[in-house]
Amino acid sequence: PWGAVESPIQPTGRSTATVEKSPRFEPKSTREPIDVLRVPVKSLVAVRGQEQNHVMGVGLVTGLAGTGDTSDTAKQLVQNLLLTRNININVQDLNSKNVAIVRVEADLPAGLKPGRRLSARVSTIGDAKSLEGGTLSFTELTDVTGEIVFVTAAGPLTVGGFRAEGRASTAVRNHVTVATLPDGAKVEREVPTSIISDHGFIYLDARLGQDTFGNTVRITEAINGLYPGVATAMLDGKTVRVGVPADLPEESHLAYLASLLNKEVESENVARVLVDESSGLIVMGGDVRLRPGLVVHGNLTVTIAETPQVSQPGPFSNGTTEIVDRTDLQIVEENNGPILVPGAANLKEVADILNLLGTTPRDTISILQGMQRNGLLVAELQRL
């Protein structure tokens, strides 16, 4: 009819949410696991006194294309930098976002001589969006006291990504607020070191993951087989003390140490399981065993989709606009039967049983934790 008003169209769309599992991938090994592994001593221990030293400084990155800090602190640092060149500018006149305050750090090996180059890491401290295209100004890297300068750094940064930004969208690849300075740091002061202590001993400290009593004993026996009576296993179980013969010339100390480190020993398998619940990582040692038991595991997946809809009143109805809630709730529960675990005497059998369970890595972590609490998992369980 003439003069009629069309009613508003009500929304009809709805949201959905689903949880899917990708097909299970089961790689097949072409060889049996190695039961006995012989490795050189240097793969199991580190020589005390040869550690890396962490140095750190705070610097300024310039040349950014408007992706730098917006704080007044960055402007103050720029003013201080200009004052070193006898240029005095009011801090209120520095409105550019082309600079960023950064933390600069490097690992300085012991004994590295002055003048040698090494790489450094650079990360933002303020609200800078990206370090792409920036250049690090001259920065001093000091020890933990902040008083002794060991390294200086300066130069163009390398960012393993990019950031593109428009008015309505932004694209970022990788982490652009952390950069590297390849060979951009220079050693200014050497960290003094010596492989022999003041009492004439060499200390071999076990590396992380290799610090077992068995490895310590085997290393001690191997060194004494090469030079009788010079090695002693310390009571902490993680250190081997090696004596240096008094009649050995100083110029032969390195050759003496090299002969110790190149000696091969049989490495001990570790009954240890490392799990990382955030990433689903599971790493097992060769001596992990399983006792017989029964496992029942089922997933409960809850999917909730909220779809609020706007309801418009008809013309001349004196109604009001209302928001109507719409919820789509789905619950899926797996109905898995009990699985008998016959026990596992080696790592291959452990892998076969875990494949038989057919669970995802995160579910496997839960099962391993339950097995440990119940005594079925004969291994040390560590969480990263």
Side-chain angles (χ1 to χ4, degrees), residues 270-275 281-285 288-289 350 365 368 372 377-384:
V270 181
R272 182 181 298 146
V273 180
L274 299 180
V275 297
L281 173 68
I282 304 173
V283 180
M284 293 188 178
V288 175
R289 303 290 188 264
V350 173
I365 291 176
L368 290 173
Q372 184 205 33
L377 178 63
V378 187
E380 177 188 4
L381 184 65
Q382 293 184 354
R383 296 170 179 85
L384 297 178

Side-chain angles (χ1 to χ4, degrees), residues 297-364:
H297 186 272
N299 283 325
L300 180 66
T301 303
V302 180
T303 305
I304 301 176
E306 296 287 353
T307 313
Q309 297 182 347
V310 179
S311 176
Q312 295 285 0
F316 310 111
S317 64
N318 294 325
T320 59
T321 301
E322 297 290 341
I323 297 179
V324 182
D325 293 330
R326 294 289 185 267
T327 301
D328 184 14
L329 177 62
Q330 297 179 1
I331 300 178
V332 179
E333 183 177 7
E334 292 184 356
N335 187 15
N336 295 330
I339 298 177
L340 177 63
V341 177
N346 54 54
L347 187 60
K348 184 178 184 303
E349 293 180 1
V350 173
D352 292 340
I353 291 176
L354 294 180
N355 283 330
L356 178 65
L357 297 176
T359 57
T360 64
R362 287 178 175 82
D363 293 337
T364 304

Side-chain angles (χ1 to χ4, degrees), residues 275-295:
V275 297
D276 186 357
E277 298 179 11
S278 61
S279 62
L281 173 68
I282 304 173
V283 180
M284 293 188 178
D287 275 355
V288 175
R289 303 290 188 264
L290 293 178
R291 290 192 176 96
L294 190 68
V295 176

Side-chain angles (χ1 to χ4, degrees), residues 127-199:
D127 60 351
K129 297 179 180 179
S130 174
L131 295 177
E132 184 180 4
T135 300
L136 178 68
S137 60
F138 183 82
T139 304
E140 295 178 342
L141 278 61
T142 65
D143 60 355
V144 67
T145 65
E147 298 178 355
I148 304 177
V149 177
F150 283 91
V151 176
T152 57
L157 302 179
T158 299
V159 179
F162 65 84
R163 176 187 177 93
E165 184 175 6
R167 292 185 178 182
S169 63
T170 302
V172 180
R173 179 183 179 185
N174 296 338
H175 210 61
V176 294
T177 54
V178 177
T180 58
L181 194 65
D183 293 335
K186 186 182 73 169
V187 179
E188 302 291 347
R189 185 189 298 266
E190 176 187 357
V191 178
T193 183
S194 176
I195 62 174
I196 301 177
S197 68
D198 296 336
H199 300 286

Side-chain angles (χ1 to χ4, degrees), residues 4-337:
V5 180
E6 184 180 0
S7 298
I9 299 175
Q10 301 297 328
T12 58
R14 62 180 301 181
S15 301
T16 60
T18 59
V19 179
E20 296 182 356
K21 291 183 179 180
S22 61
R24 185 172 180 84
F25 173 68
E26 297 182 6
K28 301 297 182 181
S29 177
T30 58
R31 55 176 298 180
E32 293 293 327
I34 300 176
D35 293 331
V36 178
L37 182 64
R38 296 188 63 84
V39 297
V41 171
K42 60 185 176 184
S43 300
L44 305 176
V45 300
V47 181
R48 187 179 300 181
Q50 300 299 303
E51 304 86 1
Q52 290 189 334
N53 302 272
H54 187 79
V55 291
M56 189 272 292
V58 176
L60 198 65
V61 172
T62 60
L64 302 176
T67 59
D69 291 338
T70 60
S71 63
D72 293 335
T73 306
K75 300 176 184 179
Q76 185 65 53
L77 286 181
V78 173
Q79 185 187 41
N80 294 342
L81 179 63
L82 295 176
L83 285 176
T84 61
R85 301 300 176 185
N86 297 323
I87 301 175
N88 190 1
I89 295 180
N90 192 334
V91 69
Q92 302 300 328
D93 296 332
L94 300 173
N95 296 321
S96 174
K97 294 190 296 183
N98 295 341
V99 296
I101 306 173
V102 294
R103 170 189 173 99
V104 186
E105 52 189 352
D107 294 322
L108 177 61
L112 196 62
K113 305 303 179 183
R116 295 288 303 276
R117 312 291 298 189
L118 69 158
S119 299
R121 301 178 298 275
V122 181
S123 56
T124 59
I125 295 179
D127 60 351
K129 297 179 180 179
S130 174
L131 295 177
E132 184 180 4
T135 300
L136 178 68
S137 60
F138 183 82
T139 304
E140 295 178 342
L141 278 61
T142 65
D143 60 355
V144 67
T145 65
E147 298 178 355
I148 304 177
V149 177
F150 283 91
V151 176
T152 57
L157 302 179
T158 299
V159 179
F162 65 84
R163 176 187 177 93
E165 184 175 6
R167 292 185 178 182
S169 63
T170 302
V172 180
R173 179 183 179 185
N174 296 338
H175 210 61
V176 294
T177 54
V178 177
T180 58
L181 194 65
D183 293 335
K186 186 182 73 169
V187 179
E188 302 291 347
R189 185 189 298 266
E190 176 187 357
V191 178
T193 183
S194 176
I195 62 174
I196 301 177
S197 68
D198 296 336
H199 300 286
F201 293 103
I202 297 175
Y203 291 92
L204 305 179
D205 298 322
R207 298 185 185 274
L208 181 64
Q210 308 297 336
D211 49 350
T212 65
F213 296 152
N215 281 341
T216 302
V217 171
R218 292 171 185 177
I219 292 173
T220 303
E221 293 175 349
I223 295 177
N224 285 332
L226 191 62
Y227 303 107
V230 299
T232 303
M234 306 300 292
L235 294 181
D236 59 5
K238 302 179 185 301
T239 303
V240 177
R241 186 184 66 185
V242 182
V244 179
D247 57 347
L248 184 67
E250 184 176 353
E251 58 271 16
S252 300
H253 287 176
L254 285 180
Y256 175 70
L257 176 60
S259 64
L260 303 179
L261 298 180
N262 289 330
K263 180 68 176 178
E264 287 193 351
V265 298
E266 181 180 329
S267 177
E268 183 181 32
N269 286 329
V270 181
R272 182 181 298 146
V273 180
L274 299 180
V275 297
D276 186 357
E277 298 179 11
S278 61
S279 62
L281 173 68
I282 304 173
V283 180
M284 293 188 178
D287 275 355
V288 175
R289 303 290 188 264
L290 293 178
R291 290 192 176 96
L294 190 68
V295 176
V296 180
H297 186 272
N299 283 325
L300 180 66
T301 303
V302 180
T303 305
I304 301 176
E306 296 287 353
T307 313
Q309 297 182 347
V310 179
S311 176
Q312 295 285 0
F316 310 111
S317 64
N318 294 325
T320 59
T321 301
E322 297 290 341
I323 297 179
V324 182
D325 293 330
R326 294 289 185 267
T327 301
D328 184 14
L329 177 62
Q330 297 179 1
I331 300 178
V332 179
E333 183 177 7
E334 292 184 356
N335 187 15
N336 295 330

